[in-house]
Amino acid sequence: MSKKQVIIFSSILALIVIIGAVFGTTMVRENSAQEENKTTKEVGERIVGGAVISSGADIVENFKDASNLTTFNSAIQIAELKTSLRESGPFTVFAPTDTAFNELPVETRDDLLRTENKNTLQEILKYHIVSGKYLTSELVDGQVLTTLQGQDLKISKTEDKLLVDNVEVSDSDVEHSNGISHLIDNILEPDLNPTVGGTSMLRSKNIVENTSSTPNLTSFVASLKAAELTEALEGVGPFTVFVPDNDAFSKLPNGVVDNLLKPENKQTLTSFLTYHVVQGKYLLSDFTDDQQLTTLNGEKLTIIAKDSLVSVKSETPDNVSVISTPNVIQSNGIVHIVDTPLLPRS
């Protein structure tokens, strides 16, 4: 190869290197731009309560600065659910706004947010969370969703409204890295009744319906039927009933219950049962020490409230009954299970 050919070849080689470098740089820039555009498309943003909500951040991170979710943020911390809501999920959260919490009576809301009530608060909040990611477009009218609390939510949907347990969704499809949330302006209320005799007593049922399905209340139910009081306790009320369980009835002398159930003793049985019933709805927190209640048979009961123990004293000497299971809410009142029958004077 001549000297002239060597110079020409070297020049061509140099030109190829320069073109390659320029082309490579251009490709890198184009790829970077494509990745940036891809990221922008994948990570959306919107504003909720004045806070920037990013689909690339988790539920807790997104909601921490939302001005309309301050109580919800406090509640998930008190209920120790923050860690759970930062997990991969995905979750669908029906998030109660501050408006929702403010709809509660002040005392109820403040009591709910106390650390000592975190178990109840946790149950309520878990009733607002569903496993899985459900966009509005994926929900259908009549659909049932099982919550982390274990009970079901029912979806109602029209062309312009989405309701969950008859509560309207006010802001929908807020996307997060670990799920989606829909904002609601009312608290969803699970059935948090305590079990009685291993049986769930539902708030949607009345006193007779609930007690009739409970194995350890058969003596009470048999007495109601014998006294023909079932219809009365299926009424609107509200009533507060101090219900003796089977163990309580067994404390009566042998033969007393059998004797009371005889047709000829119906009046005595009626007086005995109505002595366990008070007009109105009294939660355990409504009782005060030495408070007197007038029963449906016209006689008085006296409340003994000492520390966490609440008892009921009849007008018969030495007849005191301890409330063993309080606050069993019914559709027409409330039931407190007691460990001893209450004995009227007559």
Side-chain angles (χ1 to χ4, degrees), residues 40-266:
T40 302
K41 289 177 182 178
E42 288 180 348
V43 181
E45 292 183 351
R46 62 182 293 185
I47 304 297
V48 174
V52 176
I53 305 299
S54 167
S55 61
D58 64 49
I59 294 165
V60 174
E61 180 66 22
N62 270 330
F63 282 165
K64 69 177 184 178
D65 295 321
S67 62
N68 60 341
L69 293 168
T70 57
T71 310
F72 175 75
N73 290 327
S74 298
I76 61 174
Q77 180 161 336
I78 294 167
E80 298 179 358
L81 287 175
K82 285 185 73 172
T83 301
S84 298
L85 285 177
R86 303 204 79 157
E87 293 175 357
S88 58
F91 306 105
T92 295
V93 181
F94 295 96
T97 62
D98 289 345
T99 299
F101 281 98
N102 290 337
E103 287 291 321
L104 297 173
V106 175
E107 289 184 2
T108 301
R109 184 186 66 224
D110 291 347
D111 193 53
L112 190 61
L113 295 172
R114 296 182 194 281
T115 305
E116 57 267 30
N117 294 325
K118 72 175 182 180
N119 290 338
T120 299
L121 179 61
Q122 186 177 97
E123 290 294 298
I124 291 172
L125 290 175
K126 286 167 73 175
Y127 188 61
H128 291 73
I129 306 170
V130 175
S131 183
K133 182 179 179 180
Y134 293 91
L135 291 160
T136 301
S137 59
E138 296 169 335
L139 296 169
V140 297
D141 187 49
Q143 186 173 358
V144 174
L145 303 175
T146 301
T147 67
L148 296 191
Q149 188 263 347
Q151 295 181 34
D152 293 335
L153 294 173
K154 185 176 181 180
I155 298 298
S156 303
K157 192 176 182 183
T158 63
E159 287 185 3
D160 58 346
K161 284 186 180 181
L162 174 65
L163 297 96
V164 52
D165 272 8
N166 294 319
V167 171
E168 187 174 351
V169 170
S170 57
D171 195 355
S172 62
D173 296 339
V174 182
E175 295 208 46
H176 313 274
S177 63
N178 60 342
I180 198 159
S181 58
H182 308 285
L183 274 56
I184 53 176
D185 291 335
N186 289 94
I187 301 292
L188 303 174
E189 295 185 25
D191 194 334
L192 294 179
N193 260 356
T195 59
V196 176
T199 302
S200 296
M201 299 186 98
L202 303 177
R203 297 184 182 206
S204 58
K205 293 185 177 182
N206 65 45
I207 294 164
V208 174
E209 290 173 324
N210 272 322
T211 55
S212 294
S213 64
T214 307
N216 70 334
L217 299 179
T218 53
S219 296
F220 174 77
V221 173
S223 300
L224 285 182
K225 291 178 179 177
E228 298 181 356
L229 287 174
T230 53
E231 185 175 349
L233 286 182
E234 287 175 332
V236 176
F239 307 106
T240 295
V241 187
F242 299 99
V243 177
D245 60 17
N246 289 351
D247 288 340
F249 271 94
S250 70
K251 293 180 180 179
L252 294 171
N254 288 336
V256 169
V257 175
D258 291 339
N259 196 46
L260 280 172
L261 295 177
K262 293 178 180 178
E264 60 267 29
N265 294 325
K266 177 181 173 183

